[in-house]
Amino acid sequence: MSIIHKLPYEWQVGLRYTRAGKSSGRSSFISFISLISVAGIALGVAALIIVLSVMNGFQKQVTDRMLSVLAHIEVFDASGSMPDWQARAKEAAQNPAVLGAAPFVETQGLLVRDGIMRPSIVRGVLPGVEDNVSTVAQQIRAGSFDALKPGSFNIVLGYALARALGVGMGDKVTMVLAQGQVTPAGMVPRTRSFTVAGIFEAGHFDFDAALSFVHIEDAQRLERQQAPSGLRLRIANMREAPQVAEALKRSMKGDLVMRDWPKLNANWYAAVQTEKKMMFIILTLIIAVAAFNLVSSLVMTVTEKQADIAILRTLGASPGSIMKIFMVQGAVVGVLGTLAGVAMGVGVSRNIGVIVPFIERLLGVEFLSKDIYLISTVPSELYTPDVVTIGIVSVVLAFAATIYPSWAASRVKPAEALRYE
């Protein structure tokens, strides 16, 4: 005996109603509508998984480029400087999530060259230690990051910043600092000449156009500090930066201020999260439309099967059992559609690097121009929690769509249903 025959009769009848009928074209038509409902739910689920995966992929690309020059966590001392940064780095390293630490000094200045002025965030670093927290040394297009020597007053510029200033290797740029100095002529801004010793490209315009690096000792002289401003940390999982920052604040001694990368990029991070939520809501409406197609198919099934319902009622079936029959039918359609959609969405998301180039060759188009977007392939990052959430939402919507038709079936009166049979 098959497993289906061992199920309660409500399940057996509901599963039978899901399949195409043999007695009339009307039954086949109703089952065809059920098939369309399955396909609609599957397409909606697949579309939502694919879109969110692509959005996650773009977010990861941008985040990786940001964090190639940014740290996951920044640690500051409330006093304004951190002379014992080596001891602080050892304290931070006691947390297993921390992979590396490096000191830094950060200030803002105006870079001037032949009358062209561009604002810049000037970061003082130790070239030999900076590799612990960023990959900027690997993104050098010209020159060398190791050219940043103490007292040399060399500078490494972002690619877009160097192009805007019209400078190349060995050229001089003048840095104008916000802090002024008193002279017989009055208050004048402080200036310092730097030699371009390197040009980097992180692939993120905001940093390529506004970030520059100098040696930490030169930055301390510019800021008239005797020690670094703080530490920059890299952790194993960047998504855990807020939690790790809180743990470090509790474990490390002193009056420290922690800033994780979502806080440093709060506007961008909030915009991305809002965009993902809105996209989830919009695409969930597609699933909702497909799920509520079940209402029409179940209503038609109830109308056609009134005689069957009446016979079951006369044989002793309760209204609850009748309701369960049609809820089983709707639930099966919802689950089948969801499973098909998940399989399709996961398959496309994992192979989008093959599918998109095939479509581009087939249609003779280029979706992403490297000259404009800095990437030539559509990225995709599939997150299991997204897939699980989408599947649950789809099944719940399908289940909700079955409630009214199933309740209407349970209200059928046997005498009236059999009057014209």
Side-chain angles (χ1 to χ4, degrees), residues 214-266:
V214 299
H215 194 277
I216 193 168
E217 291 187 14
D218 295 344
Q220 288 175 197
R221 292 176 187 174
L222 292 173
E223 287 293 289
R224 295 175 178 173
Q225 294 181 192
Q226 301 300 317
S229 301
L231 282 176
R232 301 170 65 229
L233 306 178
R234 178 163 290 267
I235 62 175
N237 187 350
M238 66 179 183
R239 294 178 176 274
E240 298 176 355
Q243 294 80 7
V244 175
E246 287 296 325
L248 290 173
K249 190 171 184 179
R250 292 191 299 267
S251 63
M252 296 178 68
K253 300 176 182 178
D255 188 8
L256 303 178
V257 178
M258 305 284 178
R259 294 196 306 180
D260 52 75
W261 72 268
K263 286 183 181 178
L264 293 172
N265 303 274

Side-chain angles (χ1 to χ4, degrees), residues 292-330:
F292 280 93
N293 281 338
L294 288 174
V295 176
S296 59
S297 64
L298 287 177
V299 167
M300 294 177 67
T301 302
V302 169
T303 302
E304 185 202 12
K305 303 296 184 181
Q306 285 197 9
D308 294 1
I309 296 171
I311 294 172
L312 287 172
R313 288 295 307 278
T314 57
L315 292 175
S318 66
S321 296
I322 300 299
M323 188 173 182
K324 188 183 296 184
I325 289 172
F326 292 95
M327 293 190 76
V328 167
Q329 181 184 355

Side-chain angles (χ1 to χ4, degrees), residues 45 48-49 51-53 55-56 59 239 276 280 342 381-393:
V45 169
L48 186 50
I49 291 175
V51 169
L52 288 185
S53 297
M55 291 184 68
N56 290 333
Q59 181 183 356
R239 294 178 176 274
K276 284 185 64 177
F280 184 91
V342 167
E381 192 74 16
L382 187 65
Y383 294 150
T384 301
D386 287 347
V387 177
V388 173
T389 301
I390 293 168
I392 292 173
V393 169

Side-chain angles (χ1 to χ4, degrees), residues 63-72 133-134 234 238 261:
T63 302
D64 288 346
R65 295 183 181 195
M66 288 170 52
L67 296 180
S68 67
V69 293
L70 290 179
H72 293 160
V133 296
S134 75
R234 178 163 290 267
M238 66 179 183
W261 72 268

Side-chain angles (χ1 to χ4, degrees), residues 205-220:
F205 182 78
D206 289 346
F207 299 110
D208 289 339
L211 187 61
S212 55
F213 292 89
V214 299
H215 194 277
I216 193 168
E217 291 187 14
D218 295 344
Q220 288 175 197

